[in-house]
Amino acid sequence: MAENISQRYELRLRAHPQTLADVRRAVAARLRLWGREELISAAGMCVTELLSNVHKHAASPECVLVLENLSNGVRAAVSDTESALPVVKEPDFLSESGRGMFLLSKTADEWGTDLTPTGKTVWFTLRSEAVEP
């Protein structure tokens, strides 16, 4: 029985701290639908960091979140209109900010940035531990 569930989910939004909980719920719901429950916590944290960076550093809060269900996990990407790339720096653990990309780099299996004609896309992948039968 083949299910007709889209393996791609796109959400256009305005990055703002007040919307982050709703976005995390949407990510969790989509990962549950795809049977990727074990990735919900890590994906929520990483997506929150990317959206927080859009809010803090991009001239416009308008962005697009894309989730993709892969054979071995999930890929998430946030595209915005800012061409400046995020910087991973050794965190000052006493500081209240500046740790996000460091945490993402330690949580995601892979991550990267792509410059686009309209700005940039920052993406990450999380692999599932479960092996497909």
Side-chain angles (χ1 to χ4, degrees):
M1 178 170 98
E3 291 186 41
N4 192 13
I5 298 172
S6 175
Q7 301 303 301
R8 187 176 188 278
Y9 174 75
E10 183 175 307
L11 183 63
R12 294 181 177 275
L13 66 143
R14 295 175 65 87
H16 191 277
Q18 292 176 326
T19 64
L20 294 178
D22 289 338
V23 173
R24 278 193 302 271
R25 280 191 288 276
V27 168
R30 181 55 50 162
L31 294 186
R32 261 188 227 98
L33 184 65
W34 287 339
R36 302 289 188 185
E37 291 85 353
E38 74 280 8
L39 300 178
I40 288 173
S41 178
M45 186 279 293
C46 292
V47 165
T48 296
E49 178 50 36
L50 295 183
L51 294 176
S52 294
N53 280 353
V54 171
H55 174 72
K56 290 177 197 161
H57 303 296
S60 167
E62 302 292 329
C63 61
V64 179
L65 166 66
V66 174
L67 299 175
E68 293 176 278
N69 191 19
L70 308 174
S71 61
N72 64 344
V74 295
R75 181 182 195 270
V78 173
S79 300
D80 63 39
T81 58
E82 194 64 43
S83 59
L85 299 177
V87 176
V88 176
K89 50 189 182 227
E90 202 58 38
D92 171 359
F93 288 102
L94 299 177
S95 172
E96 291 196 14
S97 64
R99 291 185 294 274
M101 288 306 296
F102 177 80
L103 291 173
L104 183 144
S105 73
K106 297 299 183 193
T107 302
D109 291 296
E110 297 174 291
W111 77 276
T113 57
D114 299 317
L115 287 173
T116 66
T118 57
K120 72 172 173 305
T121 298
V122 183
W123 58 268
F124 65 87
T125 57
L126 296 168
R127 284 196 280 277
S128 289
E129 296 303 316
V131 177
E132 296 293 318

